[in-house]
Amino acid sequence: MAFASLATKRALATSSAMQQIKKVCVIGGGQMGSGIAQVAAMKGYDTSLVDVSDQILVDAQKNITKSLTKIQQKFSQDPKYGYLEGAEKFMSDALQRMTLTTDMKKAVSAADIVIESIVENMDAKQKLFVAVDQIAPPQCLFASNTSSLPITEIASATKRKDRFGGLHFFNPVPVMRLVEVVTHKDMPAGTVNSFVQFGETLGKHCVVCKDTPGFIVNRLLIPYIGEATRMLERGDATATDIDSAMKLGAGYPMGPFQIADLVGLDIVKSVLDGWHKRFPENKLFAPIPYLDKLVATGKLGRKAAEGFYKY
């Protein structure tokens, strides 16, 4: 019945709300936020990327330009895009459609959709949306890119819960095709459909999920990593053998420890700690001393050159 309900939401909705989305505002200039802004600009949207830090925006500009340059080089060999001339125009057009700014009021006041991609902290997200709610146009849609926090709770800080939902992108955004559209009880069919259609215009495959801890991917992935870590902690098998077993026996492209090192052990720990605080009775979310020790000693994965493995 739950799946039928979600399908019905899509079927009943019209595309009228979607037609309003012409200008996109992304708040948070980190890796995820800049990736979302890049894709929106590539797909033809006038896009503003907002951050409180000029330096973060400078870094975001460099990363976006670097990413677009790689895409340009790929397109320059393809007659579909007009070889080099077409590829150069594609890149210049995308950059022209993008504005990087610290002026949140100006960017939000002109937006049709605001996508938040700041630190994974409930208080910070709620405070941001309180401010955004006061300056955004009445028809503006709000989305959070949170990977683990309850959408319902973030939305409660605003006066437009009916126009609020989750748009969970995956890193790196220009490459990863999946977007989780996260719904809640106050989100009508039209808003759900608008989010799905918007995601599809970005070239993403959208899946719809209720506001359950971790949504779909992380709700399955994080406990999986946690159980693998507990096996390692008990001495049941080595990290290498656990990874090999899941790749060769279950057909996974990467083992749990390879994924964890890629995601970042601090992020895995943060998600588990947050869920444990909210659901202390669930043993899958319980703290893992082995993981805690790795994070405490700065072994955070690939970004730190060492996690479960050395790089």
Side-chain angles (χ1 to χ4, degrees), residues 14-26 36 39-41 43-48 97 110-115 137 139-143 163-165 167 169 181 187 190-202 206:
T14 67
S15 62
S16 58
M18 179 59 211
Q19 296 172 3
Q20 299 174 5
I21 301 180
K22 297 179 180 178
K23 295 185 177 181
V24 176
C25 175
V26 181
I36 296 169
V39 171
K43 295 301 181 177
Y45 290 99
D46 290 332
T47 305
S48 296
R97 284 190 288 265
D112 297 313
I113 184 170
V114 173
I115 305 172
Q139 78 279 4
C140 186
L141 298 172
F142 288 178
R163 303 188 70 77
F164 197 116
L167 278 177
F169 293 81
V181 176
M187 190 177 182
T191 304
V192 176
N193 196 56
S194 292
F195 275 53
V196 171
Q197 289 188 22
F198 174 67
E200 289 174 346
T201 66
L202 299 182
C206 294

Side-chain angles (χ1 to χ4, degrees), residues 4-308:
S5 176
L6 291 174
T8 301
K9 278 187 176 184
R10 292 193 197 187
L12 292 176
T14 67
S15 62
S16 58
M18 179 59 211
Q19 296 172 3
Q20 299 174 5
I21 301 180
K22 297 179 180 178
K23 295 185 177 181
V24 176
C25 175
V26 181
I27 302 179
Q31 190 171 17
M32 289 298 295
S34 61
I36 296 169
Q38 175 188 325
V39 171
M42 285 169 53
K43 295 301 181 177
Y45 290 99
D46 290 332
T47 305
S48 296
L49 179 60
V50 179
D51 202 283
V52 295
S53 168
D54 286 315
Q55 185 57 53
I56 287 177
L57 292 175
V58 168
D59 292 341
Q61 180 74 60
K62 291 178 181 178
N63 291 333
I64 290 169
T65 302
K66 182 178 180 181
S67 177
L68 285 172
T69 300
K70 290 181 179 179
I71 296 172
Q72 176 186 322
Q73 290 171 347
K74 180 180 178 181
F75 284 4
S76 67
Q77 307 300 316
D78 193 336
K80 178 182 176 182
Y81 297 100
Y83 294 111
L84 181 60
E85 184 178 350
E88 289 177 343
K89 186 176 187 305
F90 168 83
M91 180 174 176
S92 64
D93 286 352
L95 290 173
Q96 286 177 9
R97 284 190 288 265
M98 191 180 305
T99 301
L100 282 70
T101 180
T102 56
D103 189 344
M104 186 178 80
K105 183 176 181 180
K106 183 177 180 180
V108 169
S109 63
D112 297 313
I113 184 170
V114 173
I115 305 172
E116 165 272 315
S117 186
I118 65 170
V119 63
E120 278 295 85
N121 178 277
M122 180 61 72
D123 289 341
K125 291 181 186 292
Q126 287 185 327
K127 287 177 182 177
L128 173 66
F129 276 113
V130 167
V132 169
D133 200 20
Q134 294 174 358
I135 54 180
Q139 78 279 4
C140 186
L141 298 172
F142 288 178
S144 175
N145 182 50
T146 181
S147 60
S148 62
L149 298 177
I151 292 295
T152 304
E153 192 171 339
I154 302 173
S156 69
T158 75
K159 297 178 181 178
R160 60 181 90 195
K161 290 185 284 187
D162 62 322
R163 303 188 70 77
F164 197 116
L167 278 177
H168 180 215
F169 293 81
F170 290 79
N171 190 40
V173 179
V175 176
M176 300 294 281
R177 287 197 60 219
L178 184 67
V179 170
E180 292 176 321
V181 176
V182 186
T183 69
H184 55 90
K185 64 181 182 63
D186 296 313
M187 190 177 182
T191 304
V192 176
N193 196 56
S194 292
F195 275 53
V196 171
Q197 289 188 22
F198 174 67
E200 289 174 346
T201 66
L202 299 182
K204 303 303 183 183
H205 179 90
C206 294
V207 294
V208 178
C209 178
K210 290 184 177 180
D211 190 15
T212 186
F215 318 134
I216 298 175
V217 174
N218 283 336
R219 181 64 180 84
L220 298 174
L221 178 62
I222 299 298
Y224 162 63
I225 292 172
E227 284 300 282
T229 307
R230 291 184 181 98
M231 288 190 70
L232 179 63
E233 187 175 52
R234 290 192 301 266
D236 295 342
T238 66
T240 301
D241 283 348
I242 292 171
D243 276 349
S244 295
M246 295 311 296
K247 288 189 289 184
L248 300 177
Y252 288 14
M254 299 175 70
F257 300 117
Q258 292 172 317
I259 296 173
D261 276 355
L262 183 63
V263 170
L265 305 193
D266 53 332
I267 294 174
V268 174
K269 172 178 161 52
S270 176
V271 173
L272 278 174
D273 288 349
W275 290 352
H276 178 63
K277 185 177 180 180
R278 292 173 181 274
F279 309 99
E281 73 285 353
N282 193 323
K283 294 182 179 179
L284 288 175
F285 303 159
I288 307 171
Y290 192 98
L291 176 63
D292 293 346
K293 184 177 179 181
L294 288 175
V295 173
T297 54
K299 298 176 181 179
L300 308 181
R302 284 184 172 273
K303 61 187 175 185
E306 184 174 0
F308 288 105

